[in-house]
Amino acid sequence: MSHGYNEETEELLLNMGPQHPSMHGVFRMIVHLQGETVTGIEPKIGYLHRGLEKIAESRTYPQFIPYTDRLDYLASPHNNLAYVQAVEKLMGLEIPERAEYLRIILAELARLASHQVFIGSAALDIAGWTAWGYPFRDRERILDLFEMIAGSRLTVNCMRIGGVSAEPPAEFWPALESLLDDMPEKIEEYFNIYMGNEIAQARMKKVGILTKEKAENLCITGPALRASGVQYDVRKAEPYGIYDRFDFEVPVLYGCDTYDRNLIRFMEMNESLKIIRQAVRDIPEGPIMAKVPKIIKPPAGEVYHRVENPKGELGFYIVSNGTPKPERVKIRAGAFVNMQCLSELAVGTYIQDLIVSFASLDAVLGEVDK
């Protein structure tokens, strides 16, 4: 006897977010389901949109720096760096050597802290309560270092046009050395308790496939691209600051699945430690700020500058009309661009696979919505 249900044709529309705990902020998507199989996704973004690009037009160049903290708020030094280097490129500013090294240290510490949040939250999305606690425990030590320099732990407003905001206090350096000594063991600990878990492996391996061709065609950047077999990193492809002085590898994996998108973050953390150690070893004495005018008025023109944010390529396009305020600012947000591959990862998989595939993109809605 038929009950009027046809599993081949009857479709269920399921609303996920913007309050769903697995949505990593205020992302919302309408999921089309046949049974438990995902047949389509309609992303609904904008719940955290604050109009930052438009705000930039009514702020002076230095005044906009704190707003950039609110893009990828888990790695705010990278946002600061991309913006101030774009303005410096427009002005032709020469940055003091010590400031360049401090910028590298802060940026790579932010990459470590961002990946720690990724590992903990990705584990939590598959009910890995124990694995969640370890990276968040150690991230506090990095936030302590940020607090010593900037006075804040999350929106670390530490970069300035021409250098950095402050000289690290004396206690910063021993705390940093201690962190560098401890982190390799901690990273291995995260790996064993999370990636070494057979349930986690079963949930992630051969799930959410993003082929090399698709990743390139969709302009995916960051760890998601490198986990699909493309060895591309802005720090190597177009070195900014003084990254060309450091010896580090660009990890690349070829599994193209959610497992590799998780694994590559562990590999990148070890490379960040290498960069920070070299920076601490080579940092010179000297000033931390260039001589810049009190009122910053870059010459009329335009500039685009990009950096390797932990989520992907972050770029700032700035148009100057020669006044103290930019005429136009456009932000190329890596997390926003990467979100377009979500349908590619999820359609044809089960609804529980959608959660781990979305987590593997490490989306931060502050950067997606701007």
Side-chain angles (χ1 to χ4, degrees):
M1 179 180 174
S2 171
H3 293 281
Y5 173 74
N6 184 334
E7 65 178 4
E8 295 299 320
T9 59
E10 188 153 327
E11 185 177 65
L12 172 69
L13 295 185
L14 180 68
N15 184 74
M16 294 186 70
Q19 261 66 51
H20 193 286
S22 293
M23 292 297 99
H24 295 226
V26 287
F27 178 60
R28 176 181 170 225
M29 57 182 161
I30 298 172
V31 185
H32 296 247
L33 296 168
Q34 292 235 333
E36 291 190 9
T37 303
V38 178
T39 57
I41 292 174
E42 297 175 47
K44 304 290 182 182
I45 63 171
Y47 288 89
L48 199 56
H49 178 60
R50 297 142 295 170
L52 292 183
E53 293 164 323
K54 197 65 182 173
I55 288 172
E57 297 174 19
S58 60
R59 301 292 185 274
T60 65
Y61 286 91
Q63 282 176 341
F64 187 63
I65 299 173
Y67 287 91
T68 66
D69 291 322
R70 278 80 181 167
L71 290 166
D72 176 3
Y73 41 76
L74 298 177
S76 56
H78 289 271
N79 311 328
N80 289 177
L81 186 61
Y83 174 70
V84 299
Q85 285 186 333
V87 178
E88 289 160 1
K89 189 185 286 188
L90 201 52
M91 297 175 68
L93 271 182
E94 192 79 26
I95 308 306
E97 283 284 292
R98 185 170 179 83
E100 292 278 26
Y101 278 90
L102 286 172
R103 285 177 170 186
I104 297 292
I105 292 170
L106 291 165
E108 294 307 317
L109 283 173
R111 195 180 311 278
L112 284 170
S114 176
H115 285 349
Q116 285 170 325
V117 173
F118 167 80
I119 293 164
S121 55
L124 204 56
D125 283 344
I126 56 171
W129 294 97
T130 306
W132 165 78
Y134 288 80
F136 272 79
R137 171 199 66 190
D138 300 324
R139 176 172 170 263
E140 288 299 305
R141 295 173 65 181
I142 296 176
L143 302 190
D144 289 343
L145 293 171
F146 288 156
E147 191 173 8
M148 290 179 197
I149 290 185
S152 54
R153 301 173 69 82
L154 189 67
T155 51
V156 187
N157 189 236
C158 53
M159 310 286 180
R160 296 292 181 268
I161 296 167
V164 294
S165 60
E167 180 68 45
E171 61 268 25
F172 175 88
W173 301 105
L176 177 57
E177 293 280 4
S178 174
L179 178 78
L180 295 175
D181 290 341
D182 294 344
M183 275 307 296
E185 183 183 337
K186 302 298 186 186
I187 294 170
E188 187 176 356
E189 187 176 41
Y190 311 155
F191 182 87
N192 290 337
I193 202 166
Y194 173 40
M195 302 293 283
N197 184 290
E198 61 181 299
I199 299 172
Q201 291 183 17
R203 289 289 305 272
M204 294 188 290
K205 284 188 175 179
K206 304 206 182 307
V207 169
I209 301 295
L210 179 66
T211 64
K212 177 182 177 182
E213 292 71 26
K214 279 289 182 184
E216 290 176 331
N217 290 342
L218 292 171
C219 298
I220 306 303
T221 54
L225 176 68
R226 293 186 284 274
S228 290
V230 182
Q231 195 169 24
Y232 179 82
D233 186 309
V234 179
R235 294 172 296 174
K236 288 283 191 182
E238 194 178 297
Y240 51 95
I242 54 170
Y243 269 109
D244 54 349
R245 302 183 192 177
F246 296 96
D247 177 27
F248 67 100
E249 300 298 321
V250 177
V252 61
L253 294 169
Y254 299 91
C256 304
D257 60 4
T258 296
Y259 183 83
D260 275 10
R261 286 192 291 276
N262 277 259
L263 176 58
I264 203 154
R265 264 87 175 193
F266 289 85
M267 300 165 72
E268 290 190 1
M269 289 173 79
N270 284 311
E271 295 304 316
S272 289
L273 290 175
K274 283 167 57 176
I275 295 170
I276 297 170
R277 284 196 188 94
Q278 293 171 63
V280 170
R281 180 194 69 201
D282 298 338
I283 187 169
E285 295 296 326
I288 59 169
M289 273 294 293
K291 290 183 178 178
V292 296
K294 287 188 176 180
I295 298 177
I296 292 175
K297 294 194 289 186
E302 59 184 15
V303 67
Y304 179 74
H305 181 71
R306 56 191 183 138
V307 304
E308 186 67 34
N309 182 282
K311 316 292 186 293
E313 180 183 313
L314 172 66
F316 277 84
Y317 172 68
I318 302 174
V319 179
S320 168
N321 55 9
T323 68
K325 298 175 183 178
E327 184 173 319
R328 183 77 174 89
V329 173
K330 178 75 178 76
I331 302 168
R332 193 269 185 209
F336 172 73
V337 177
N338 287 357
M339 290 285 278
Q340 64 184 322
C341 76
L342 187 56
S343 291
E344 196 66 38
L345 303 180
V347 171
T349 66
Y350 292 118
I351 190 168
Q352 63 266 32
D353 298 330
L354 168 59
I355 298 299
V356 293
S357 294
F358 177 69
S360 72
L361 296 178
D362 195 16
V364 169
L365 272 295
E367 185 171 281
V368 172
D369 289 344
K370 292 178 281 190

